[in-house]
Amino acid sequence: MAQTLVPSLQCPKGIACNSRRMVSTKLWNSLLVPSHGRRSRKGGNAFKVLAVSTEKSGVVSRLEDLLNLDTKPYTDKIIAEYIWIGGTGIDIRSKSRTIAKPVEHPSELPKWNYDGSSTGQAPGEDSEVILYPQAIFKDPFRGGNHILVICDCYTPAGEPIPTNKRYRAAQIFSQQKVIDEVPWYGIEQEYTLLQTNTKWPLGWPVGGYPGPQGPYYCAVGADKSFGRDISDAHYKACLYAGINISGTNGEVMPGQWEYQVGPSVGIEAGDHIWCSRYLLERITEQAGVVLTLDPKPIEGDWNGAGCHTNYSTKTMREDGGYEVIKKAILNLSLRHQEHISAYGEGNERRLTGKHETASIDTFSWGVANRGCSIRVGRDTEKKGKGYLEDRRPASNMEPYVVTSLLAETTLLWEPTLEAEALAAHKLQLQV
Amino acid sequence: MALLNDLVNMNLSDHTESFIAEYVWVGGSGMDMRSKARTISKPISSPSELPKWNYDGSSTGQAPGEDSEVILYPQAIFRDPFRGGKNILVMCDCYTPQGEPIPTNKRNNAAKIFSHPDVVAEVPWFGIEQEYTLLQKDVNWPLGWPVGGFPGPQGPYYCAIGAEKAFGRDIVDAHYKACLYAGINISGINGEVMPGQWEFQVGPSVGIEAGDQMWIARYILERITEIAGVVLSFDPKPIPGDWNGAGAHTNYSTKSMREEGGYEVIKKAIEKLGLRHKEHIAAYGEGNERRLTGRHETADINTFKWGVANRGASIRVGRDTEKEGKGYFEDRRPASNMDPYVVTAMITETTLLWKPN
């Protein structure tokens, strides 16, 4: 297991190795196996975290004990890690504070603030950006009653700052028409793991390439699957935290993985995806591996990374839903450009029409067709109801934007009759 | 029970009433921490029940060889996160055998200021934001930086996550829980703007507590970096150039500042601080001139200015305080290597006891 996990620390002559310590198999085992037999101060079954390994003999590693300390017998205080999205729209930031006692609901938590001038979100002379707590999850790194808090960002005057996409999404999801339709989302987040320093995919030979795609999708084996510990640790961490993670698999490109979150209703989808991304990057940080959500990490005959978004409404899930799905697809076809521009930076490198994508300029749909913009499952077609899969979003998409845009285009927006008729003809949809 | 691990972590309570007290004090440089342990044979409930002790001051630059005993007076007790059980850490200050505070003992004077009736009535609160840098052992280059080179410029690291952006989180997180366990009023942590740099905050603490808690928090931090094989630095400008320095911003309020009309009290206090800028700066940490340049979220060392939400000022007042008309203010001048007894007592003295002529 250590073999696939630790990136090759090949140090070119003359340059000292990065002092980042090697991860030993023993410590990684503790991450996956519930702790038993290992002495611990109360709370022995807490989710154990990976600590900095001290290889020196004669030095007891007491760091792990401190990291896994159950504070409950000594204090009611809990640690709340406030998490927000930084100035690039994809960088995640967090800092923690002590809260006097455990809380049940985000409204019980105080608003906070941070230095926006350090994240490109405010000028130095007026640097405070305010954090509003929006969703709580259990902290798998600290255990106990400690929590993670997903926040969004506002000016001191109470206006959402430009990178705050949650605000508008929340507005859309609180419209009565949308509430009535109970929109469900299942998001398939793909991601690539890279070796530190070289930034070359995990498991790839530095300076070269692995054998072509084929053997790697859902594979097992030291020569085919790289970084499973990260994916598995992430799965359990998400379940512990209360994230609605529904599955995981190894992807077509070696070093690439996917997990799915859903079904989530409305704004939850965004909250859960951001928290799951946070957990993932905390885990890769511990593993000494770099996480990238770039939609096309390696040019050429290698798959990109997407964030396919499965979507359904109440009427789509009921009898006769297939017609509703077709109408939704029609609406989406008429707003292709708006959606594409909001579906992630750099998506044009990924949506080429090859590697199971549709070209970025063309809108298409089909049953069981992975080369389309929108895919409808055979089950849905057969039962006459179900859901659709929007395959266009890139792995670095903003989930608040994508989920709310899908709801907006299919539930709140109406095309003109002529446009609708033209599109129906083009797509051969009888609606 | 043969393993070192088992011995270090053994729970003594089943076997003896005795427990271990680690006496902690500040050494001759005013910044180095020292400690040694002794066995206490029966339970105690306050520092005054602990015996005074002594150490070899000639080995810490605090006494001559022919008259080397320096006496330790126990002042504050905390639970020991390394030994667990009933074992304790004891914050002490240092005296000559005749009972005079030695020159590096800054606590004695602070305690006098904090027991002045005018000060006691105003219940001064402190929240101290301690920044620090982690360095790789032997090369003394920041943790996570390539030896012989530099990381990408600042921007991605503040509050960041990820193996290429956050270096040393285990130390920071272990420190957080250890302090909570010890009984220190630790209120938060965050990754700082310079990679390998972190911050924790202690407070709100009343009066002399602020200094006691901050010193023990620093002690616990250095014990943890010792375990991790990493070097701790409180230097205010560890890397010259376009890299942030490390400070110890001190947030302060008094009873009148926290009540209705407090904003006026705050403004008057800031005015008085402005009149004693040089005296404060001289006491705010060695090497601060390398850090307070006017860039990297600091105000220039020779300038005193204050502003709301302004991180380039000497004193910053939060928007909340301005809006509610009461609250606290932040003195951004102290360096990370400041002595918390000196800084907290000085701010209190200037704002509550000193009168400009």
Side-chain angles (χ1 to χ4, degrees), chain A residues 90-276:
Chain A
I90 193 76
D91 58 315
I92 306 181
R93 311 271 181 160
S94 75
K95 56 172 180 163
S96 39
R97 69 185 291 179
T98 308
I99 304 290
K101 52 187 179 47
V103 296
E104 301 280 315
H105 194 266
S107 55
E108 298 174 61
L109 288 164
K111 293 191 171 88
W112 205 9
N113 65 75
Y114 68 94
D115 173 11
S117 66
S118 287
T119 58
Q121 291 170 303
E125 332 75 65
D126 189 10
S127 59
E128 276 176 32
V129 176
I130 317 300
L131 292 166
Y132 289 27
Q134 298 291 3
I136 291 179
F137 299 90
K138 284 167 58 145
D139 186 337
F141 305 105
R142 295 193 173 111
N145 288 326
H146 306 297
I147 56 175
L148 305 173
V149 188
I150 295 293
C151 306
D152 61 347
C153 306
Y154 296 78
T155 63
E159 295 300 311
I161 64 173
T163 46
N164 178 352
K165 306 302 183 190
R166 190 188 192 281
Y167 184 76
R168 172 106 186 95
Q171 280 178 327
I172 289 174
F173 285 119
S174 29
Q175 301 231 18
Q176 199 54 48
K177 250 186 153 186
V178 176
I179 295 177
D180 290 340
E181 280 289 349
V182 195
W184 285 8
Y185 298 92
I187 300 178
E188 308 168 32
Q189 174 76 67
E190 292 180 338
Y191 60 93
T192 315
L193 299 173
L194 307 175
Q195 304 170 41
T196 347
N197 299 345
T198 56
K199 301 279 169 67
W200 200 231
L202 190 63
W204 293 37
V206 174
Y209 293 82
Q213 296 184 153
Y216 311 108
Y217 172 71
C218 297
V220 301
D223 51 340
K224 287 162 277 178
S225 173
F226 311 111
R228 187 187 300 278
D229 283 349
I230 289 168
S231 171
D232 274 355
H234 180 247
Y235 203 155
K236 284 196 176 177
C238 285
L239 284 175
Y240 175 93
I243 290 170
N244 209 351
I245 183 165
S246 44
T248 164
N249 62 273
E251 268 301 326
V252 177
M253 181 176 116
Q256 202 172 69
W257 294 82
E258 170 182 313
Y259 65 92
Q260 308 95 33
V261 174
S264 316
V265 183
I267 196 76
E268 263 179 24
D271 292 337
H272 283 226
I273 283 288
W274 275 115
C275 196
S276 69

Side-chain angles (χ1 to χ4, degrees), chain A residues 15-21 38-39 41 50-52 54 56 58-63 65-71 74-75 77-81 84 91-99 112-119 124-128 141-143 146 156 196 199 277-278 281-282 284-286 288-291, chain B residues 4-6 8-10 79-85 136-137 143-147 155-171 173-178 180-181 184-191 193 198 201 223-224 226-230 244 297 308-312 316-320 323:
Chain A
I15 301 176
C17 261
N18 191 308
S19 75
R20 182 141 206 117
R21 299 184 184 273
R38 188 121 210 268
R39 186 221 77 88
R41 256 180 227 130
L50 178 71
V52 173
T54 50
K56 305 187 294 220
V59 175
V60 175
S61 175
R62 296 186 261 183
L63 215 49
D65 290 336
L66 285 172
L67 285 169
N68 295 324
L69 183 61
D70 180 8
T71 51
Y74 310 105
T75 174
K77 295 179 183 179
I78 62 161
I79 304 172
E81 185 91 30
W84 73 94
D91 58 315
I92 306 181
R93 311 271 181 160
S94 75
K95 56 172 180 163
S96 39
R97 69 185 291 179
T98 308
I99 304 290
W112 205 9
N113 65 75
Y114 68 94
D115 173 11
S117 66
S118 287
T119 58
E125 332 75 65
D126 189 10
S127 59
E128 276 176 32
F141 305 105
R142 295 193 173 111
H146 306 297
T196 347
K199 301 279 169 67
R277 284 175 174 179
Y278 175 79
E281 194 155 27
R282 282 289 304 272
T284 55
E285 177 188 309
Q286 282 181 201
V289 156
V290 172
L291 172 71
Chain B
L4 203 55
N5 205 28
D6 296 319
V8 165
N9 292 321
M10 183 166 28
R79 271 193 290 262
D80 184 339
F82 306 102
R83 297 196 172 101
Q136 304 171 41
K137 200 158 158 304
L143 190 64
W145 293 36
V147 175
Y157 311 108
Y158 170 73
C159 296
I161 57 175
E164 76 284 31
K165 287 165 281 178
F167 310 111
R169 187 186 301 275
D170 283 345
I171 289 166
D173 273 354
H175 180 247
Y176 203 157
K177 281 195 176 178
L180 281 177
Y181 173 89
I184 290 173
N185 208 349
I186 183 165
S187 45
I189 57 169
N190 63 271
V193 178
W198 296 85
Q201 307 99 32
R223 284 288 305 271
I224 287 173
E226 177 189 307
I227 294 172
V230 157
N244 272 32
E297 303 174 278
V308 177
N310 186 344
R311 281 180 156 81
R316 166 175 156 264
V317 175
R319 287 221 170 275
D320 267 354
K323 198 160 57 162

Side-chain angles (χ1 to χ4, degrees), chain A residues 291-319:
Chain A
L291 172 71
T292 180
L293 295 182
D294 187 273
K296 189 78 173 181
I298 307 292
E299 291 298 314
D301 204 1
W302 305 99
N303 271 32
C307 210
H308 306 158
T309 303
N310 299 280
Y311 170 64
S312 71
T313 60
K314 192 155 158 295
T315 39
M316 289 181 196
R317 299 188 286 270
E318 294 169 346
D319 286 330

Side-chain angles (χ1 to χ4, degrees), chain A residues 364-384:
Chain A
S364 57
W365 79 282
V367 176
N369 187 339
R370 279 179 158 77
C372 283
S373 317
I374 308 265
R375 164 175 156 266
V376 174
R378 288 221 172 280
D379 264 357
T380 298
E381 184 193 36
K382 198 157 58 162
K383 294 187 195 154

